[in-house]
């Protein structure tokens, strides 16, 4: 019982406490100690009332005897679930406008769909009603929601466009060019895009300014954002994955993942696991803390996605599979499978937040299947509320704008934010800097007025001599510092000559007499 309570308290602490032993300031140390004690008390209180705050528990498919979970069909699952869950299982057929791609809001209530032939729509999944649909009459490659369901961006034939929920065109982002993939960083309000010629753009949607524009020097068919640190990852046609942030023109990480083009990639919600799929017919799971392969699975995938509870879905052709991690060793095994009719070509798979549902965009429309155990059973209304009112949405939008993070906070290890920077070694000043310091000291001496003294001691020659002595005294510290540096360099050279092995002394540079 005590172990369960300790595990729950650890979950609510949201990270390790600050190391107070390194602090020398007693006042700051006391304040932080009081704050850490308050955090511990609040985490313990939340753990005590967890059974009332989070009554729902997640469940997975369980097989009996020699039965396998991947043999259980969607029809069998639909017969056993409640009516509300069975409504999440549907198949919309629109063969003339596909293939389709889709995106969900952070609460999972709304879904945006985009057909390759210009069909855009927003669907309310709670009421199963169509909010709005439009026909843009040109190619649409990708769609993504912005900070809420009122705005979404679509990557069209020439440029990406931003629309509101009513289908009104708000902005045309011509600087991005013909975009292939779109991603939105909700904590930073940045819209990231990669176009056909490999240019990566970051645009601030609050100010409408281009934050960064980089040339990746390679074509990219896969693009995802790490939810842990906000780093954008690109999968290239040469088999490499590069990770970018808007304040660096060079990739933070460049790793060779496959011996062929990258077709899909996805990130776990904890940010430490990455799944990649390549044309070499392999699916690899990587540990980003060590940049090492944890598992290699056979198979080809057009799209990959991790659920909130860690299930991994991948689809190719007319079939898809869902993998589950059954142990702490991060080893994924087959959990579920689903096949469409012949002629269906899967384009994108995406888990719906806070629901055991997997959305699938394919060549014949879009579908939704039940995936038990994929979604988080209890939602936090401060983070994502599927039942929020218009007033709550406005308040949340204002708060998120006030809490907006600058692009500088995007880094591989965000835990460094708020930590102490170690003191840097004092760099040696350059020749120009030393001369500038000497000139400044001499100018300061010259500008000082000489006191007028008694008759005979105030001659011009005496005043000039006094001024020269003052200038020499001002230059003296700099000259002494130069002499010390020169002497230390000579001593270092002598020690290097002495430490030279006898077998190599004949190669030493000889002094010319």
């Amino acid at each position: 019982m005590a172990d369960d309570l300790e595990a729950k308290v650890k979950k609510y602490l949201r990270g390790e406490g600050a190391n107070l032993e390194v602090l020398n300031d007693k006042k700051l140390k006391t304040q932080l100690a009081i704050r850490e004690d308050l955090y511990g008390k609040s985490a313990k209180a939340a753990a005590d009332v967890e059974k009332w705050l989070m009554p729902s528990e997640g469940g997975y498919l369980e097989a009996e005897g020699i039965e396998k979970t991947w043999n259980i069909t969607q029809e069998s699952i639909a017969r056993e679930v409640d009516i509300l869950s069975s409504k999440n299982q549907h198949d919309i057929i629109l063969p003339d406008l596909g293939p389709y791609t889709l995106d969900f809001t952070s609460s999972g209530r709304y879904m945006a769909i985009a057909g390759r032939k210009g069909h855009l729509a927003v669907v309310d999944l709670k009421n199963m009603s169509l909010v709005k649909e439009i026909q843009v009459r040109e190619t649409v490659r990708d769609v993504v929601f912005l900070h809420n369901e009122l705005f979404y961006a679509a990557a069209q034939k020439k440029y990406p466009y931003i629309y509101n929920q009513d289908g009104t065109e708000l902005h045309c982002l011509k600087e991005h060019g013909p975009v292939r993939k779109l991603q939105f960083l909700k904590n930073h309000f940045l819209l990231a895009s990669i176009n056909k010629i490999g240019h990566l753009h970051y645009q601030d949607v609050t100010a409408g300014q281009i934050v960064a524009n980089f040339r990746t020097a390679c074509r990219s068919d896969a693009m995802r954002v790490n939810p842990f640190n906000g780093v954008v990852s690109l999968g290239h046609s040469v088999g490499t994955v590069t990770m970018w942030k808007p304040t660096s023109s060079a990739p933070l990480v460049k790793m060779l993942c496959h011996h062929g083009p990258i077709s899909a990639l996805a990130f776990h919600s904890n940010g430490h696991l990455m799944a990649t799929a390549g044309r070499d017919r392999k699916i690899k799971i990587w540990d980003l803390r060590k940049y090492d392969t944890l598992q290699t699975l056979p198979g080809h995938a057009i799209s990959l996605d991790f659920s909130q509870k860690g299930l991994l879905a991948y689809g190719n052709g007319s079939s898809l599979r869902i993998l589950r991690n059954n142990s702490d060793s991060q080893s994924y095994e087959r959990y579920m499978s689903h096949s469409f009719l012949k002629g269906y070509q899967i384009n994108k798979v995406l888990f719906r937040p806070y629901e055991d549902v997997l959305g699938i965009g394919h060549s014949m429309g879009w579908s939704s299947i039940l995936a038990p155990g994929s979604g988080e059973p209890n939602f936090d209304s401060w983070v994502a509320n599927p039942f929020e009112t218009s007033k709550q949405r406005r308040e949340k939008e204002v708060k998120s704008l006030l809490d907006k993070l600058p692009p500088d906070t995007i880094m591989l290890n965000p835990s460094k934010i708020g930590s102490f920077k170690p003191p840097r070694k004092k760099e040696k000043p350059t020749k120009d800097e030393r001369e500038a310091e000497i000139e400044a000291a001499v100018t300061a001496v010259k500008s000082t007025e000489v006191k007028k003294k008694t008759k005979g001691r105030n001659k011009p020659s005496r005043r000039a001599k006094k001024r020269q002595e003052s200038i020499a005294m001002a230059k003296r510290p700099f000259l002494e510092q130069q002499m010390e540096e020169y002497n230390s360099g000579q001593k270092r050279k002598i020690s290097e000559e002495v430490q030279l092995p006898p077998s190599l002394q004949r190669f030493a540079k000889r002094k010319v007499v």
Side-chain angles (χ1 to χ4, degrees), residues 10-73:
K10 188 176 179 181
K11 179 175 69 173
Y12 285 105
L13 279 175
R14 298 185 180 183
E16 298 180 357
N19 185 12
L20 305 179
E21 300 298 329
V22 298
L23 296 178
N24 297 324
D25 191 341
K26 291 184 179 180
K27 185 177 179 181
L28 177 61
K29 193 173 182 178
T30 304
Q31 290 175 350
L32 290 178
I34 295 171
R35 187 69 60 85
E36 290 294 331
D37 184 50
L38 183 62
Y39 288 159
K41 289 180 180 178
S42 62
K44 189 175 180 180
D48 289 336
V49 298
E50 183 182 19
K51 59 182 178 181
W52 293 288
L53 291 177
M54 298 199 302
S56 301
E57 295 182 0
Y60 296 94
L61 290 177
E62 294 183 3
E64 297 181 353
I66 61 172
E67 187 182 12
K68 303 298 181 182
T69 55
W70 58 82
N71 291 329
I72 301 176
T73 61

Side-chain angles (χ1 to χ4, degrees), residues 180-199:
R180 298 181 63 86
K181 296 291 181 181
L182 288 170
Q183 289 291 310
F184 184 70
L185 286 70
K186 60 180 181 180
N187 294 327
H188 306 81
F189 283 81
L190 293 177
L191 180 65
S193 69
I194 185 74
N195 60 19
K196 281 186 174 182
I197 58 177
H199 283 195

Side-chain angles (χ1 to χ4, degrees), residues 434-452:
R434 190 178 286 113
E435 290 179 356
E437 289 177 358
I438 294 173
E439 287 181 6
V442 171
T443 305
V445 170
K446 288 182 178 179
S447 61
T448 56
E449 295 182 0
V450 181
K451 289 184 179 180
K452 293 184 178 181

Side-chain angles (χ1 to χ4, degrees), residues 16 98-99 132 141 143 153 163 190 210 227-228 239 243 245 249 313 315 370 373 386 444 447 452 457 491:
E16 298 180 357
K132 188 67 178 180
R141 301 184 184 92
V143 65
Y163 298 92
L190 293 177
I210 293 289
F228 175 65
M243 300 182 184
K245 67 175 183 177
S249 59
L370 299 178
S447 61
K452 293 184 178 181
R457 298 178 62 188
K491 289 178 182 178

Side-chain angles (χ1 to χ4, degrees), residues 388-404:
E388 69 181 0
T389 61
S390 58
K391 182 180 179 181
Q392 291 173 334
R393 186 185 64 239
R394 289 195 299 268
E395 291 179 355
K396 182 182 176 182
E397 187 173 5
V398 172
K399 289 180 180 178
S400 59
L401 283 170
L402 293 174
D403 296 336
K404 173 187 169 184

